[in-house]
Amino acid sequence: MVSDLKRQITQTVKRYWGFDALRPLQAEAIQAACERRDSLVVLPTGGGKSLCYQVPPVLLGRTDVVVSPLVSLMKDQVDALLACGYPAAALHSGMSPDDRREVESGLAAKRYALVFAAPERLVTPGFLRLLDQCNVQAFAIDEAHCISHWGHDFRPEYRELAVLKERFPQAAVHAYTATATARVRADIVQQLRLTNPTVLVGRFDRPNLVYRVIPRVDKQQQVREILTRHKGEAVIIYCISRRDTEALAGYLQEHKIKAQAYHAGMAPDLRRCTQDAFAEERIDVVVATVAFGMGIDRSNVRCVIHAAMPKSIEHYQQETGRAGRDGLEAECVLLYSAADAMRWESLIRRSAEESEQPEEVIVAGQQLLEQMRGYCSRLECRHRFLSEHFEQPYEKPDCGACDVCLNEVEGVADATETARKILSCVARVQERFGAMHVVDVLLAAKTESVFAYGHDKLSTYGLMKGTPKKALTNMVFQLVDQGLLIRTEDDRPTLRLNDASWAVLRGQRPVRLIKPKAEPVVSSGIEKDAWEGVDRGLFEHLRGVRRELAQERSVPAFVIFSDATLRELARSRPTTESQMRRVRGVGERKLADLGPRFLGEVASYTREHPSTGGRAR
Ligand code: ADP
Ligand code: ZN
C-alpha cells in the first residue's frame, strides 16, 4: 500500500512536472498530506515546498486550498501550474467580479486541484460557506512563519487562520516555512491548532551556493567586478539603506548594466514593475533593501551580493537563499567592513529609542549582530558556520564551496608591520581622533584638520603613503574587529588603544590582515559540474527563445522552463520527442506545448554549429 502510494507520487511528479526524483523530505511531506495528517514542513528556500502541497490533491482528485501571503506569488504559481496542465486558480482582491464568479463556480464544480487565497479572503463568511459546500479536506499554509511574532515577517491577518480547525474539524492543515527557529515552529503549531502533526525539518545547508566574504575596499568597483562573472544572469544586490540602493543602481546604469533599485519607499506600481521586469528577464540586476524578498520567484538567480553586512544570520540565510533555487550553482558574496556592524548598532539603537522599545530589544539586536560579525570575521568554513548556527552538524571537513575552503583568503604580506604603523599613529594623535583622521595622517593628506592640529609634523605623517585610502580604512576596521583597537561608541567615535594594541606595538603579538584576492576567482567544483557537457552557446540561444515566449505569453520566464531544464537540453541535445521527455522539467503538457518549438531550435542550432556536433543521448 505504502509503496503503491510512493509509485503514484513518482508518476504524478513525472507526468506534470517532468521531475524524475523527489528532493529530501518531499515524499514524506506529500505522504502526510495524502493521509491527511497535520504537518509542519520546514525546508530551506529552494527546497521544493510547493510540490509538497501541489501533488496530493491532483493525485487524489480532491480540491485543496493554499493560503499564500502575496497576490504576486499566487499569480506566478498559478501560471506555472497551468503551464504544466495542472488545474489551479487563485482568488484575490485584485480580480474582476466576473473572474471571481468564474473561479467560485469552478470551485463548486470541483474543477481545480488547488485554489490559492490570501488569508483575509479565506476567512470571509462567503468563502467559508463555499468551502463547506465543496467539502475541502486540506489546507496548506505557505510561509507559515507569518503567523508568529517571533518570525521576521509577521502578518496579523495570518492569526485569523486559527478558525480553520474550528470551522473544518475534519480537514487537515499543513504548514510550510523556511524559518528554522524552534520558537517560531512551536508558535506555528500552536496558533494553527495542529493536532499531533508530522514535523519534517530539512537540512539547511545549501551545497550549491558558494559563499565568499571579501573585505570591502571599494564597493562600486568590487560590485562591478563580481558582475562581470555573471553577465546576462540574474543578480540581487542587497544594501542597508534606500539611498544606498539608488546610488549603486545609478552607478551600475552609468556602466551600461541593466540594474534597477527596489525599496519600500517606492510607489507600489513602480515596485511591481521592477519585480515583473526581473521575473520576465528584462532586467538582470536588482539593487534592493530587505524589502525585496518574498514574491521573487525567479529561480535562476545566479548571484546574491551583500554590499554591506546584513543585521542577522537569519536575514543572511534568507537573502542568500534566493540564489540558486533551481539547484544549480550560485554565488553569494558579502562585501564586509567592520564599520557595518557599528552602523547597524546605531540604527538599532535609534529605532528602538524612537519607538520606545525596551532595552531587551536592543540587546537582542546586538546579539544577532554579534553572530553575524562572527560569520564575517572568523575565517572558518562558511557552510559549516551556517549549518551549525541552525543547529545542524556539518559532516564534510572541507565544503569546496566557500572562500575559506577554496583557499581564496589572501593575507596582507606585512600585516604586523602595517598594524603597528596604524596603532602608532593612533598613539601619536593621542587617541583623540576617528578612523578618517588617522587614515588621513598616514596617507599624508593635506586636510584642514591635519594642519590645524599640526599633525603634518608627526613622525607617522605619510607613513603609509601610496596605500589606497579605502584599503587602509578597511584595515583599520579589521583591527577594531579583532579587538586590537578600540573605537568608542559615541556620536564622534574616536580610536583608542588597549592592552592588545600595546602588545602589537611592542612586537609581542603578530597580526593577520586580509585583502581582496587580486587574481580572478577560480570556479568551484560545483560550478564545473553544473556546466559539464553543456553547450553554452546553445544554452544562451534557448534562453533567448524562452525570453521571447515568456514575453509573448506575459508569464515569468521560469514558467516556460527552468535554467536546469535548458542546460539539460543544451547538454543532451534531444532530436526526438521521446528523448526530450527524458529531460528533467519536461512533463507531458510541456512536451506537447513546447516540445516541437524547442526540438526545432535545438536542430537548427546544431545545423548551424556543426563543429559542436549533434550529440544525442
Ligand atoms: P521553496 O518554496 O521551498 O523555496 P520551490 O517550491 O519554489 O521551493 O522549488 C524551488 C525550485 O525547485 C522550483 O524551480 C521547482 O520547480 C524545483 N523543484 C522542486 N522539486 C523538485 C524536484 N523534485 N526535482 C527537481 N526540481 C524540483
Ligand atoms: Zn567551506
Side-chain angles (χ1 to χ4, degrees), residues 15 19 77-78 229 249 253 277 280 296 342 459-460 479 572 592:
R15 173 169 161 219
F19 300 148
Q77 279 215 42
V78 169
R229 302 202 278 274
Q253 285 160 6
E280 286 170 24
I296 307 314
M342 297 160 201
S459 59
T460 51
L479 294 178
S572 63

Side-chain angles (χ1 to χ4, degrees), residues 19 21-23 26 44-51 299 325 584:
F19 300 148
L22 288 167
R23 297 227 177 114
Q26 280 182 329
T45 311
K49 290 182 281 298
S50 333
L51 206 67
S299 69
R325 289 172 62 153
R584 180 165 54 126

Side-chain angles (χ1 to χ4, degrees), residues 357-523:
Q357 289 174 37
E359 185 67 19
E360 293 105 82
V361 176
I362 301 178
V363 174
Q366 284 167 334
Q367 278 171 2
L368 296 177
L369 265 184
E370 196 48 37
Q371 291 169 343
M372 190 65 222
R373 213 173 63 85
Y375 173 82
C376 297
S377 57
R378 250 182 271 156
L379 296 178
E380 288 175 10
C381 174
R382 318 278 180 198
H383 279 272
R384 170 183 303 277
F385 189 105
L386 292 172
S387 278
E388 290 176 355
H389 177 83
F390 294 107
E391 295 173 355
Q392 297 186 333
Y394 188 78
E395 277 92 24
K396 286 191 261 176
D398 168 354
C399 73
C402 80
D403 53 348
V404 179
C405 295
L406 290 169
N407 233 336
E408 291 175 355
V409 180
E410 189 162 11
V412 173
D414 38 8
T416 306
E417 198 44 43
T418 302
R420 289 172 70 181
K421 287 178 185 169
I422 295 169
L423 296 176
S424 68
C425 190
V426 174
R428 289 282 184 270
V429 301
Q430 295 175 329
E431 305 176 46
R432 279 165 43 202
F433 292 84
M436 288 305 123
H437 186 84
V438 170
V439 166
D440 280 343
V441 173
L442 284 164
L443 295 180
K446 297 183 171 51
T447 68
E448 235 171 76
S449 127
V450 165
F451 293 125
Y453 290 98
H455 287 167
D456 53 323
K457 310 279 185 323
L458 294 177
S459 59
T460 51
Y461 186 72
L463 199 56
M464 294 199 62
K465 221 171 155 178
T467 311
K469 184 170 179 175
K470 288 172 178 169
L472 181 56
T473 309
N474 186 281
M475 289 191 280
V476 171
F477 281 110
Q478 286 187 49
L479 294 178
V480 175
D481 223 10
Q482 296 179 31
L484 300 175
L485 184 58
I486 290 179
R487 185 173 180 267
T488 59
E489 288 171 19
D490 41 49
D491 288 345
R492 295 195 56 241
T494 53
L495 296 178
R496 304 262 170 87
L497 303 177
N498 60 11
D499 291 349
S501 328
W502 287 108
V504 174
L505 281 169
R506 283 195 294 264
Q508 294 161 341
R509 186 172 169 160
V511 178
R512 180 166 159 78
L513 293 170
I514 57 172
K515 62 177 183 186
K517 200 171 169 91
E519 310 93 84
V521 184
V522 291
S523 55

